[in-house]
């Protein structure tokens, strides 16, 4: 039996307990709903190791569950090997991008790093996916709104074979 090569997507935020595990869960569901999940592997990581091994923030899990998402991945820290292991790396804000750029001098590595919000079709004014950690429920809902929009836009591009 021939092994099919999957496109590997990684979502990165600061601690891997709010935005990036939400993006992982949303993207998995979006791909599954479109029958595309067999062609992709989806994961998430954090810049720091503060929350390694923890489930996503309970507030994000609650907001996600209300929308039908299973947000149950365990936090892990981004590793330099992730540049080699993933085809695309999506960050939530400019600070995440800058921190990843400090982990490599390789242009090919950094060419894989994209701003997730750039794929949001219905929020053209958004320049980042804000960290809801110090906010309230509305901040978690807004982060999910942006993540859902971006995941849908990204899936559209992947489905159409357009450049990422």
């Amino acid at each position: 039996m021939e092994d099919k090569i999957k496109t590997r997507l990684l979502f990165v935020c600061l601690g891997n307990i709010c935005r990036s595990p939400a993006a992982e869960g949303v993207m998995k569901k979006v791909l599954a709903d479109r029958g595309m999940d067999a062609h992709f592997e989806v994961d998430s990581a954090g810049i720091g190791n503060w929350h390694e091994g923890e489930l996503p923030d309970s507030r994000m899990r609650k907001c996600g569950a209300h929308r039908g998402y299973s947000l149950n991945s365990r936090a892990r820290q981004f590793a330099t090997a992730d540049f080699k292991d993933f085809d695309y790396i999506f960050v939530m804000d400019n600070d995440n991008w800058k921190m990843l750029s400090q982990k490599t001098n390789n242009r090919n590595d950094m060419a894989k790093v994209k701003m997730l919000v750039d794929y949001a079709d219905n929020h053209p004014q958004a320049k980042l996916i804000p960290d809801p950690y110090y906010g309230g429920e509305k901040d978690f809902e807004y982060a999910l709104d942006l993540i859902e929009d971006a995941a849908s836009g990204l899936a559209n591009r992947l489905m159409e074979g357009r450049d990422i």
Side-chain angles (χ1 to χ4, degrees):
M1 178 180 272
E2 182 181 322
D3 285 335
K4 294 191 183 210
I5 299 191
K6 293 184 178 187
T7 301
R8 302 194 73 212
L9 312 175
L10 180 66
F11 296 94
V12 176
C13 70
L14 190 59
N16 196 212
I17 60 166
C18 293
R19 298 170 291 171
S20 59
E24 175 188 353
V26 169
M27 194 71 200
K28 284 179 175 176
K29 186 170 185 328
V30 167
L31 292 170
D33 289 351
R34 294 176 184 213
M36 299 169 60
D37 52 325
H39 304 288
F40 295 90
E41 285 185 30
V42 181
D43 195 8
S44 64
I47 302 292
N49 66 354
W50 315 283
H51 301 288
E52 244 176 350
E54 294 179 20
L55 286 169
D57 185 288
S58 62
R59 298 166 294 174
M60 185 58 86
R61 289 195 325 264
K62 179 182 173 189
C63 290
H66 285 156
R67 296 181 187 207
Y69 303 111
S70 176
L71 307 180
N72 58 9
S73 61
R74 295 285 176 166
R76 73 172 184 87
Q77 186 174 19
F78 181 88
T80 304
D82 288 331
F83 283 119
K84 303 279 182 270
D85 293 341
F86 288 89
D87 300 296
Y88 299 102
I89 301 168
F90 299 95
V91 296
M92 304 299 141
D93 60 39
N94 289 321
D95 289 336
N96 301 155
W97 191 93
K98 183 178 179 183
M99 290 175 194
L100 287 188
S101 72
Q102 294 170 352
K103 294 183 177 288
T104 184
N105 291 321
N106 184 314
R107 286 187 193 172
N108 292 330
D109 289 348
M110 285 309 295
K112 295 178 178 186
V113 181
K114 314 289 184 188
M115 290 284 288
L116 181 60
V117 76
D118 289 347
Y119 300 89
D121 295 325
N122 298 316
H123 295 87
Q125 77 288 357
K127 301 297 179 212
L128 59 92
I129 297 175
D131 191 346
Y133 186 76
Y134 293 106
E137 185 175 344
K138 69 177 178 41
D139 299 295
F140 283 86
E141 295 290 350
Y142 180 63
L144 271 173
D145 289 344
L146 291 174
I147 290 167
E148 285 177 330
D149 185 10
S152 178
L154 177 57
N156 288 342
R157 287 191 187 186
L158 292 166
M159 194 163 57
E160 296 165 3
R162 292 174 33 206
D163 285 340
I164 300 300

